Amino acid sequence: MILVGVWPRFAANMETVTIPIPNGVKGLIFDLDGTIIDSMQMHFESYNHALELWGINYPREVFFSRAGIPTLKTLEMIAEDYGIKNPDYNGVIERIRNYSRDNSDKITLIEPIFDIIKDTSHRLPMAIGTGSGRKHVDEILKQFSLKQYIQHVVTATEVTNGKPDPETFLKCAALINVDPEDCVVYEDGVLGIEAAEAAGMQVVDVTKYL
């Protein structure tokens, strides 16, 4: 097991974390939000801002339990939860997008994962597999210049079935031309971890290290 990505969590005592790359893997696949970038708090705020249209205060624990589910599917679940009749999905999605765009400065890279990407991109193929839509993902790739390291990306726009279905990660494996059993997925979401396992891939739960 290779250990890459050392991150000082507490400056006072200089404790560090190391994130593993399992031995023998031939390809790396990364979730985006909550794995490569620290964006979940901003997204939580964007949902609550948008859901003011429906008079809803979206609980934090429910939001995080649904991490990785595409936005429209999440909104359909919320509408069902709260009995919203004839919901204006397009209006809410537009408010989410506008809030996210206007607050993109709140997003930061998760350094231990970014270290893995930088240190390993020259010797192992990589892909991003995310439940976010293509427009948001392209903006993030540009904001943090990630395309120089990772050229292959599968978003919610390109799949029929989002996480926990394995389709996203299986498409990533096909793009980098690596068999699923030879891939490792870095994930922070329960549904994403389930998707990686369903795809027959190794998985690293990054929440255990950050």
Side-chain angles (χ1 to χ4, degrees):
M1 179 178 290
I2 304 169
L3 295 176
V4 181
V6 181
W7 188 33
R9 298 186 71 187
F10 307 103
N13 55 20
M14 294 302 291
E15 288 187 21
T16 61
V17 294
T18 53
I19 299 179
I21 301 176
N23 289 329
V25 299
K26 299 178 182 178
L28 308 184
I29 300 173
F30 299 89
D31 175 47
L32 182 62
D33 294 283
T35 298
I36 296 177
I37 58 171
D38 186 0
S39 58
M40 296 304 287
Q41 177 61 31
M42 188 276 291
H43 283 307
F44 172 64
E45 294 171 2
S46 75
Y47 268 76
N48 268 303
H49 169 76
L51 288 169
E52 290 175 356
L53 287 178
W54 295 355
I56 290 173
N57 184 16
Y58 196 35
R60 183 182 184 86
E61 63 274 11
V62 179
F63 170 81
F64 279 94
S65 73
R66 292 172 174 171
I69 299 177
T71 302
L72 179 57
K73 178 63 177 178
T74 300
L75 293 179
E76 290 173 346
M77 296 167 73
I78 293 170
E80 183 176 354
D81 290 343
Y82 290 88
I84 304 298
K85 305 298 183 183
N86 302 314
D88 178 12
Y89 293 125
N90 289 334
V92 172
I93 288 171
E94 186 65 21
R95 283 171 66 89
I96 289 173
R97 287 175 175 166
N98 289 342
Y99 186 95
S100 298
R101 183 192 62 241
D102 294 343
N103 291 274
S104 62
D105 59 319
K106 295 181 179 181
I107 300 174
T108 59
L109 286 168
I110 296 177
E111 291 296 339
I113 296 296
F114 188 49
D115 285 345
I116 292 176
I117 292 170
K118 289 186 297 183
D119 295 343
T120 315
S121 62
H122 65 286
R123 58 187 178 84
L124 288 176
M126 298 180 177
I128 291 172
T130 173
S132 294
R134 170 58 66 175
K135 185 176 181 180
H136 164 72
V137 173
D138 285 344
E139 290 170 352
I140 292 298
L141 295 177
K142 181 178 180 180
Q143 181 176 346
F144 293 104
S145 302
L146 290 171
K147 272 289 191 177
Q148 64 180 305
Y149 304 106
I150 304 178
Q151 288 75 47
H152 304 290
V153 182
V154 177
T155 76
T157 308
E158 289 85 51
V159 299
T160 302
N161 302 299
K163 304 171 187 177
D165 190 274
E167 182 182 356
T168 298
F169 292 141
L170 290 174
K171 284 194 171 184
C172 285
L175 284 173
I176 61 177
N177 197 29
V178 177
D179 292 335
E181 61 266 27
D182 293 323
C183 294
V184 60
V185 175
Y186 291 85
E187 257 286 1
D188 71 303
V190 172
L191 298 181
I193 291 170
E194 292 177 3
E197 292 173 343
M201 301 176 179
Q202 297 188 62
V203 59
V204 174
D205 179 357
V206 302
T207 65
K208 294 179 179 180
Y209 302 92
L210 304 179

